[in-house]
Amino acid sequence: MEQILIVEDDITLNSGLCQALKDSDRQLVSCECISEAKEQLALGMVTLAILDINLPDGNGLDLLKEIKKNTPDIPVIMLTANDTDKDIVSGLEQGADDYITKPFSLAVLRARVNTQLRKAHTGINTEKFTEAPYDFDYKNMLFSCNNQPVELSKTEQKLLRILTDNAGMTVKRDTLIDRLWTVDAEYVDENALSVTIKRLRDKLSAQDKIKTIYGIGYSWVKQNG
């Protein structure tokens, strides 16, 4: 049975997370501080951890570092009210598998948790994506096409990762908009996604790789099919 560790000191949010992630094949363990979380981790049953950064007895990033040092196979999703590039990059560099900035959609959280659990079960490593002529290193934020470096914005990097993580599958427009912008904006012009897709295609010369599924969304075309 999967065990999800939730470390969040906001009691109301903690309860909401437990309700949103409740499943018959899943055990949810709720903690409100780092010391409680360490006790649960020591039992060796945790499948995935959701960590707030600002906790009453320390910084969630320190706990993240400890988890990745001792149990690197456990996916960790960070929750944070901090949305600066520095905070996000710091979390990713210390091993976070994903991050969500508050406020956020519980439906999006469920989707991200399920994605991380699938990766953990299948052993898929999405930190790097290599498919001639492309080489994408998401951990170090290095991207190249035909061995030539390509500079991508934070939004373009996020978009590209979603597409390559789901290579061969169609990702709906609404899902992409929700993942890329909705956590920070009350309203996002849908044209913003089309513009970002076009920029990404142009930078990577990926007109044939990033396919538009009209009326639905976009897909990264898998090699040899």
Side-chain angles (χ1 to χ4, degrees):
M1 176 177 286
E2 298 170 347
Q3 185 184 98
I4 297 179
L5 175 66
I6 298 172
V7 190
E8 169 58 65
D9 63 323
D10 182 320
I11 297 175
T12 301
L13 178 55
N14 196 316
S15 176
L17 293 172
C18 290
Q19 288 297 318
L21 297 173
K22 188 176 180 180
D23 190 276
S24 59
D25 297 324
R26 181 179 292 167
Q27 181 182 20
L28 298 170
V29 178
S30 169
C31 299
E32 296 173 17
C33 62
I34 291 176
S35 58
E36 292 177 1
K38 286 183 177 180
E39 291 177 3
Q40 292 298 325
L41 287 163
L43 298 175
M45 301 295 290
V46 175
T47 308
L48 177 145
I50 299 174
L51 306 181
D52 188 17
I53 285 185
N54 300 309
L55 293 164
D57 58 345
N59 191 314
L61 291 174
D62 293 330
L63 180 57
L64 164 67
K65 191 184 301 183
E66 187 173 325
I67 292 173
K68 287 303 180 179
K69 178 182 178 181
N70 299 326
T71 50
D73 292 336
I74 294 179
V76 178
I77 298 175
M78 303 301 298
L79 298 181
T80 176
N82 305 322
D83 190 28
T84 66
D85 288 350
K86 181 180 178 181
D87 292 316
I88 293 168
V89 170
S90 178
L92 294 174
E93 286 182 342
Q94 293 183 51
D97 297 275
D98 202 351
Y99 68 89
I100 302 179
T101 53
K102 302 175 184 177
F104 54 85
S105 159
L106 291 176
V108 171
L109 175 67
R110 283 196 300 271
R112 295 201 189 185
V113 165
N114 291 335
T115 295
Q116 292 301 328
L117 289 172
R118 283 197 302 270
K119 292 175 186 175
H121 291 324
T122 59
I124 296 173
N125 176 13
T126 60
E127 291 299 325
K128 288 191 175 183
F129 181 87
T130 303
E131 182 182 280
Y134 303 107
D135 190 359
F136 306 145
D137 182 344
Y138 293 108
K139 183 175 182 180
N140 297 302
M141 292 177 284
L142 298 173
F143 307 90
S144 67
C145 175
N146 289 314
N147 296 318
Q148 297 299 311
V150 178
E151 293 291 333
L152 299 179
S153 69
K154 183 178 75 172
T155 300
E156 290 162 356
Q157 291 178 33
K158 289 166 64 177
L159 173 58
L160 180 62
R161 182 161 189 171
I162 295 168
L163 293 175
T164 57
D165 278 359
N166 297 279
M169 297 183 288
T170 300
V171 184
K172 293 181 179 179
R173 287 184 59 90
D174 288 348
T175 299
L176 289 170
I177 291 171
D178 206 9
R179 290 286 300 273
L180 294 172
W181 291 291
T182 311
V183 291
D184 300 317
E186 295 181 3
Y187 171 78
V188 175
D189 186 344
E190 287 197 5
N191 189 51
L193 177 59
S194 300
V195 171
T196 306
I197 286 283
K198 183 180 186 306
R199 285 203 310 261
L200 188 59
R201 279 179 175 146
D202 291 344
K203 287 185 177 183
L204 296 173
S205 299
Q207 283 74 17
D208 294 331
K209 293 298 296 183
I210 301 175
K211 182 179 180 181
T212 300
I213 312 300
Y214 290 99
I216 302 176
Y218 300 92
S219 174
W220 180 273
V221 179
K222 294 182 71 173
Q223 202 168 44
N224 300 323

